[in-house]
Amino acid sequence: MRTLTVFVTLLAAFGCVVCCRVEAAPAVFRSFDGPDLVWQLADGRPGAELAAHGCVGDDARQGSGSERVIVVAPGGESLHFVCPVGRIPVLDELEARMWVKTSRPGAALAVRVVLPRSVDAKTGAAKTVLVAGEQCVAAGRWQQLRLAGVPNFLAAQVRVLRATSGTSIDAREAHVDAIVLAVPGGPGNTTVWTDALEVDGIVMPAVAESTVSPQVTPAVAPAQGWQQEARPAIQPVPSSSQQIQFQGTMLTVAGRPFLPLGVEWNNETFAFLAARGFNTIWLDEPPTPEQSAEATRAGIWLICTPPPPDDIAEGGLGSALDRVLAWHLGSPAGPLELDYLRRWAGLVRSRDPLATRPIVVAPRGDWHPASQLADVLVADHSASSNLTSADFAEWLQGLPLLARPGTPLWASIPTQPGERVRKQMAALLPGLPQVPTAIDDAQLDVLVTVAATNGCRGFLFKSDSPLDAGDEISKRRAVLVEQLNDRLELVSPWLTIGKRVGEATSADSTATGIVLQVERARLLVPTSWGDDVGDAASTPSKSVAFIVPGIPESNEAFLLSPAGLQTLPSKRVSGGVRIVVDRNADGFVLMTEDAAAIAGFRQRVAHGARRAAQLQYSLATTRMRSLAGVARRLQQLGTNTKNLDQAIGAANTELGSVNSLLTEGKFEAAYQRSSAARRILANAIERQRQAAAIRPEFNSIPYCLDQGSLARQAEFEHSLSSFRGGENQLGGGDFEDLGQLRQIGWQHIDDPVAGVQANVQLAGRASREGRYSLELSTAAVPPGSAPQFVARPLVWITSPPIRATAGEVLEISGWVRVTQPIAGSIDGLEIIDSLGGPELALRICNTTDWQSFRMFRGTTDTTDMTLTFALHGLGSVCVDGVMVRSLATPRVKRLPAPSGEPGPAFPNSARRTLFGPPLER
């Protein structure tokens, strides 16, 4: 096909050089992935106990797990856990780092220093001294603690010991024999998670590779799991992967454009996933030789997480690399963890025999530094399952402003709600049987379409359960992703080497589309068909006329779908070419004069037309059957389903002749009939969901991600009438007294970017309740200097922990007013609770005066819940009258009446808390 030949010819214009950056890795590293435990309790005492200790896989900074300890100890005391590391000399270069998350501030990183020339009078052994490093200053989030300057700290302690004990203390030959974790006591228990312990500045003599053991570091007697960096010989690379490289933002394999269509692996056979249209599989570890061979047979590439740094140092990246397309390093959560990823990436590049194999990172906020260490960035918004097409498009369009120019973007597309959302679905309606869930068809189509039309050069479909499972939801999910992959592969030339050149609007302004271009061919991707599309009462054959600018008159127009290529009426008019499309049709508008390209597409769709029509028919019929069951359940709950019933009837009419069309080989007609039925049902679901939404305008419940949740949403709303509301459990939610807020533990954190000033204060201007409200604001300093787009919160306020008992239903409510519209971020004011997480957070960018919000959350386990108000972008917002009530077990927790004249401003220096030392993000 001549057009594809032109694509390959153009590759030479996008040549690039991939630099191999090599940076030093830490001398020793501990991942805490288990199964062996690292920490040992060193100082048990009466009244303090170790309640739980083990490796957990559901919360980690990197790798597959972290180590968790839960202690019970009186306030003012702490328990010490040690990790023996042999005999490490006390040098100026010695530095330890470890990631820690804790349920209360105060956990600290330390080292135990042995003074062999001084005797402890109580034990008769060599005297030991604890040298402490940084402490955790915030609860509920990962922080990297550091300890450096040990010789200076040790010298200061030796001087104190000499002055207080009156004995001679000799610090010569001092050495560190253990890393120490200090866990503070307090009311209830204290939980601490640890991950990624690194130690630098250790002097190790050279040792032959053959003598290096995974459990022994020469010249010291290390604990289990510590490893010395080794440099094994680099294995040769099989010829099949010699030509993996980027040319501009386009990935090429063996010199040809490659569009990654990937999925997270959940033990499905590679052949099954290949049959679903995937050409890459994402693994959380390097492939085994058997997996590499299976991938070769299936024609699949692998994107893998490389081994941890200590394993790379000992054994390299592995021997089965011939099907590895790229290395994925995960998602750095902050600038401190970026340092670790930078060292990891350098080590991977230094050991990889293929210098051009890309490294992939999925940033959360620090896009520019991440783009400096990675070759590809994955755009993964934590709430993409709930974003509108406009918000998702705006977010994607802003990311290139934050990253290194020319960095390729791949899109992460969820196919299921996140774990916390699924837990909330179960917790709010515990008496009902739980079924697997999936993101709604329409939302998945929106995310894929927006990503495809906004420069994404690859797609990762997120999945945490097998696509080949036997339940109906998994089967349908497999069919849906196969259909999406089929559509993406069909237009892959525009997604690999094409560019966006404009937009098109219908003559009546009800429909819109994006125009993509490659050499001699343009593609119109419809993004909106108008609000009345698919209405059961409307005429299904209603057409729409797009006006496409900049099209040569010699071009022909076609409706391109996976099942056919149909000529469309077109005519030159003022402003462009007028192209008429059936409004119920599904596909893209191809515009070209290249006869070879037209013939190539005809051949391509003829080959896959039967399968494409069958997939579309399967999706339509399973949705219709499911929706019929939902309608019956809604009727039992007393909900009016007239519109839903009409839509099911109209869809059934569309599908009535599809079987005969398939039998007759009329695959394009069968495909379009099934597509029309799906659109009718999708619009009916959206109208039913809006009609059933719990008021007020801003609310958050987990039953809005798929059509099966329609009945669950109605059931939950029905159950609200039986709940008995309790007293407010959130102290300080009236924001009337700064001293009381400080006393009970509200926290304020700033993390502004250059050119932005953040401020938090109690404002007395037109509060909703009482005299004051909480105001969060950000502004450009000087005006006009702020960035156009911000991808992380700039300032946020977090409530003190609220104890939630297992089986409770909590109602979080309050009032919000946007006093200055928030610009530069789609997230606006983000209201996040720790039970629902970011995926269920409310995002508010504008309001009309004061407006109320409500969030409903359930608890399956007794735990602490916190509430966070985070401001993204530039603007100003006020919050007032925030309450957390139990709808099952009322409890009373009220603040005393405010006294004095409150209202002073919160401290607004960067990364500073309201009540203590600075917090690191």
Side-chain angles (χ1 to χ4, degrees), residues 98-100 135-139 141-145 919-920:
M98 182 172 66
W99 285 93
V100 175
Q135 292 186 359
C136 285
V137 292
R141 62 184 181 86
W142 286 98
Q143 301 157 77
Q144 190 179 48
L145 304 184
L919 289 180
E920 291 294 338

Side-chain angles (χ1 to χ4, degrees), residues 33 61-64 264 281-288 291 302-309 311-312 316-318 321 324-331 340-341 344 348 358-360:
D33 289 343
R61 286 294 302 180
Q62 69 93 42
S64 61
E264 294 177 324
I281 297 175
W282 291 55
L283 306 180
D284 57 8
E285 59 186 4
T288 64
Q291 288 175 325
L302 306 174
I303 297 178
C304 310
T305 301
D311 291 348
I312 298 176
L317 292 166
L321 304 182
V324 175
L325 182 76
W327 298 112
H328 182 223
L329 301 190
S331 300
Y340 170 73
L341 259 65
W344 195 11
V348 169
I359 287 179
V360 183

Side-chain angles (χ1 to χ4, degrees), residues 251-390:
L251 181 65
T252 65
V253 176
R256 298 180 62 85
F258 185 85
L259 178 69
L261 301 174
V263 65
E264 294 177 324
W265 186 56
N266 291 283
N267 294 307
E268 304 97 331
T269 66
F270 290 179
F272 173 85
L273 295 175
R276 308 283 81 75
F278 294 108
N279 57 24
T280 56
I281 297 175
W282 291 55
L283 306 180
D284 57 8
E285 59 186 4
T288 64
E290 293 76 18
Q291 288 175 325
S292 183
E294 183 184 1
T296 300
R297 292 191 298 269
I300 285 280
W301 289 93
L302 306 174
I303 297 178
C304 310
T305 301
D310 55 350
D311 291 348
I312 298 176
E314 177 66 23
L317 292 166
S319 59
L321 304 182
D322 57 312
R323 297 304 296 181
V324 175
L325 182 76
W327 298 112
H328 182 223
L329 301 190
S331 300
L336 295 179
E337 189 173 350
L338 279 166
D339 293 339
Y340 170 73
L341 259 65
R342 194 171 289 110
R343 290 190 295 272
W344 195 11
L347 189 59
V348 169
R349 287 191 170 98
S350 70
R351 297 296 199 276
D352 196 332
L354 181 63
T356 56
R357 197 181 335 257
I359 287 179
V360 183
V361 169
R364 292 300 180 190
D366 296 284
W367 285 82
H368 191 269
S371 69
Q372 292 176 315
L373 70 90
D375 303 296
V376 183
L377 298 182
V378 176
D380 184 10
H381 195 286
S382 58
S384 56
S385 58
N386 288 318
L387 294 181
T388 65
S389 59

Side-chain angles (χ1 to χ4, degrees), residues 646-799:
Q646 289 179 346
I648 293 172
N652 190 50
T653 300
E654 289 288 347
L655 296 173
S657 60
V658 171
N659 267 327
S660 60
L661 291 172
L662 289 172
T663 302
E664 297 168 9
K666 298 178 179 178
F667 303 126
E668 171 68 2
Y671 179 93
Q672 295 298 346
R673 284 293 187 92
S674 300
S675 173
R678 287 184 66 198
R679 186 175 292 126
I680 289 170
L681 297 174
N683 287 334
I685 290 169
E686 182 58 28
R687 289 193 297 273
Q688 189 72 36
R689 182 179 289 126
Q690 292 174 358
I694 299 175
R695 296 297 181 262
E697 178 181 353
F698 300 121
N699 66 76
S700 172
I701 59 172
Y703 304 114
C704 58
L705 299 175
D706 64 10
Q707 66 180 46
S709 293
L710 282 174
R712 297 298 175 99
Q713 180 176 342
E715 287 165 343
F716 177 70
E717 187 171 8
H718 183 74
S719 70
L720 283 177
S721 60
S722 64
F723 284 134
R724 189 163 52 94
E727 293 292 328
N728 179 24
Q729 301 179 43
L730 177 63
D734 52 4
F735 302 111
E736 291 295 312
D737 190 301
L738 182 63
Q740 293 171 346
L741 293 170
R742 180 182 291 115
Q743 181 180 4
I744 63 177
W746 283 81
Q747 292 186 333
H748 158 216
I749 306 171
D750 287 344
D751 189 16
V753 299
V756 176
Q757 180 178 353
N759 186 43
V760 177
Q761 64 180 356
L762 300 185
R765 302 185 302 275
S767 61
R768 179 60 178 75
E769 298 177 356
R771 300 171 60 189
Y772 296 95
S773 63
L774 174 69
E775 182 181 55
L776 297 89
S777 63
T778 53
V781 179
S785 64
Q788 300 178 39
F789 188 77
V790 178
R792 68 171 190 248
L794 302 177
V795 57
W796 60 97
I797 298 292
T798 300
S799 75

